[in-house]
Every structure is written in structure tokens, then in C-alpha cells.
Amino acid sequence: MQTTPWIRVAIGIICAAHVAGLAARTEGRSDSTAQSSGSETFSEKISDGAITTKVKAALLNAKGVKGFQNIHVKTTAGAVRLTGTVPSREAKEAATAAARTVDGVTRVHNDLRIAN
């Protein structure tokens, strides 16, 4: 699938806004105390955010992944969870394969459903 430049710009803006939001929430605290309500540190959250963005870009550029806009990506400690719907089993498998190509991904949980 050919992507237009504005889609890549939009993904970059979303990533920058996400990182800026994380930075604003932890401003004035050191990394050792900058913990979310879970056990992730600020740097882990940025890393997970970067992985999520890279997985979304990989999905956008992957052949055989139709319906990218229906795929939601969440990353926790390097583990990626894919949810949403795709049109076929091939698209589901292609989404898993694309996510696995991203550096930092430790495992992929594919909870995608095949639309009827």
C-alpha cells in the first residue's frame, strides 16, 4: 500500500504529542520517582510509546494489512497487543508479522477479529 506524506506527518505529530504529554506529567520529578499508576518508569513509557508508533508505521507500510485504521496497538514493557478488526486471516497474520519486525518488541498478542 502506498502511503501519502501527510499520513507519515500525522503519525509523527501524534508521537510527538504523546511524548510531550508524558514529559509534562512527570515534570519536576526524577526518573526514579517518575512512575505511572503502574510500575513503568518514564523512560519505559517513552520506549513503549515509540514502539507503538513504530508498529503503527509498520502496519501502515505492510503489504496485506488492509483496514489499518481498524487496528489498535498498545505496548506494555515491549509486549504489543493488537486489537480491532481486519478483513481476512491473511491480514491478521500480516499484522502480526509486521509488528514482530519492530525493534524492541518482545512479543505480539494478536487479538484481532476477522470481520464478516
Side-chain angles (χ1 to χ4, degrees):
M1 175 168 70
Q2 189 69 12
T3 60
T4 58
W6 67 267
I7 291 174
R8 291 175 193 247
V9 170
I11 290 173
I13 290 170
I14 291 168
C15 180
H18 180 69
V19 170
L22 289 173
R25 283 192 280 173
T26 60
E27 189 174 318
R29 293 185 277 170
S30 69
D31 273 353
S32 62
T33 60
Q35 301 231 346
S36 66
S37 58
S39 61
E40 285 184 303
T41 65
F42 176 68
S43 60
E44 288 170 331
K45 279 201 159 287
I46 288 179
S47 180
D48 284 344
I51 290 171
T52 296
T53 301
K54 289 177 184 177
V55 169
K56 288 179 180 181
L59 291 170
L60 185 65
N61 292 316
K63 293 183 181 189
V65 180
K66 295 179 183 173
F68 163 75
Q69 63 274 15
N70 296 324
I71 299 175
H72 306 282
V73 181
K74 171 125 173 103
T75 306
T76 306
V80 173
R81 181 169 306 279
L82 304 174
T83 58
T85 58
V86 290
S88 66
R89 173 178 281 193
E90 292 80 15
K92 182 176 179 175
E93 291 170 0
T96 300
R100 286 185 177 143
T101 66
V102 174
D103 287 339
V105 172
T106 57
R107 76 183 87 166
V108 177
H109 302 283
N110 189 331
D111 294 332
L112 293 170
R113 293 186 322 263
I114 299 171
N116 292 337

